[in-house]
Amino acid sequence: LSLVDNAGGRFAISNNNLVVADANLLDFEVNQSHSITVRATDAGNATFDATFTINITNRNDTPTDIALSNNSVTIPATAGTVVGTLSATDADVGSTFNYFLTNNAGGKFQIVGNELRITDTAVFLSDLQPSYTVTVMVQDQYGANYSESFTINVTNNSGPSSNQPPTNITLNNTS
């Protein structure tokens, strides 16, 4: 047996068995089936060709990226303030995702649905820093997961509603 058409190098004949020659070329999201042509040759060199369709079975692909729509928060901010919305990239069309924090910066952040939020204003302000790192894990409906870290920048609102310490004292000679 030999292959007249090996579907672009995807298949081969080994010991009269059809085998996958290059699994990297088999991607259900690109092609759900491939055609091959097998040739049988007898002792007198007479040949017979037969074409077969090989159907590809979909396997779950792991999510490959997480995006956060915004990575900054202005304080003061109340508990539940949305920092940004999470989204995931996965080759599987129609995948559904759940998001988890594996590092919530000491309890300062939480995920509700696909939103990264501030947990408790008091907890957030008790250890105020210019930025925090959170690590988000996304999991698809089949359990495959991917993690990524994000830096959340904190801006202090210095507007009139914020209590800022005095920065200058002036003495006037009035007598």
Side-chain angles (χ1 to χ4, degrees):
L1 295 177
S2 63
L3 283 178
V4 176
D5 179 358
N6 64 6
R10 290 172 176 84
F11 301 98
I13 298 287
S14 176
N15 297 323
N16 286 334
N17 292 307
L18 180 66
V19 296
V20 174
D22 189 347
N24 293 321
L25 298 176
L26 299 176
D27 187 348
F28 181 84
E29 282 73 33
V30 175
N31 288 312
Q32 291 79 40
S33 65
H34 298 280
S35 293
I36 62 167
T37 302
V38 179
R39 176 170 288 163
T41 306
D42 67 12
N45 278 338
T47 62
F48 176 79
D49 292 350
T51 299
F52 299 93
T53 299
I54 308 297
N55 294 314
I56 307 302
T57 302
N58 193 15
R59 65 171 172 78
N60 184 42
D61 292 302
T62 300
T64 57
D65 193 25
I66 302 172
L68 179 61
S69 65
N70 180 46
N71 71 333
S72 64
V73 63
T74 301
I75 58 162
T78 59
T81 296
V82 175
V83 176
T85 302
L86 296 159
S87 60
T89 302
D90 191 320
D92 294 320
V93 176
S95 288
T96 58
F97 304 105
N98 290 308
Y99 300 91
F100 307 94
L101 280 175
T102 57
N103 171 8
N104 63 7
K108 292 172 179 59
F109 298 93
Q110 66 180 339
I111 291 179
V112 177
N114 67 335
E115 295 177 333
L116 179 65
R117 297 182 182 192
I118 294 175
T119 54
D120 179 332
T121 307
V123 171
F124 191 79
L125 294 176
S126 67
D127 179 31
L128 190 58
Q129 298 174 20
S131 66
Y132 297 95
T133 299
V134 297
T135 303
V136 177
M137 180 180 76
V138 62
Q139 187 175 61
D140 70 13
Q141 70 268 32
Y142 302 108
N145 60 65
Y146 169 81
S147 294
E148 190 168 327
S149 293
F150 296 93
T151 299
I152 308 302
N153 298 307
V154 178
T155 303
N156 192 352
N157 183 1
S158 59
S161 63
S162 295
N163 184 17
Q164 300 294 316
T167 59
N168 191 15
I169 297 175
T170 302
L171 293 175
N172 291 327
N173 185 359
T174 58
S175 68

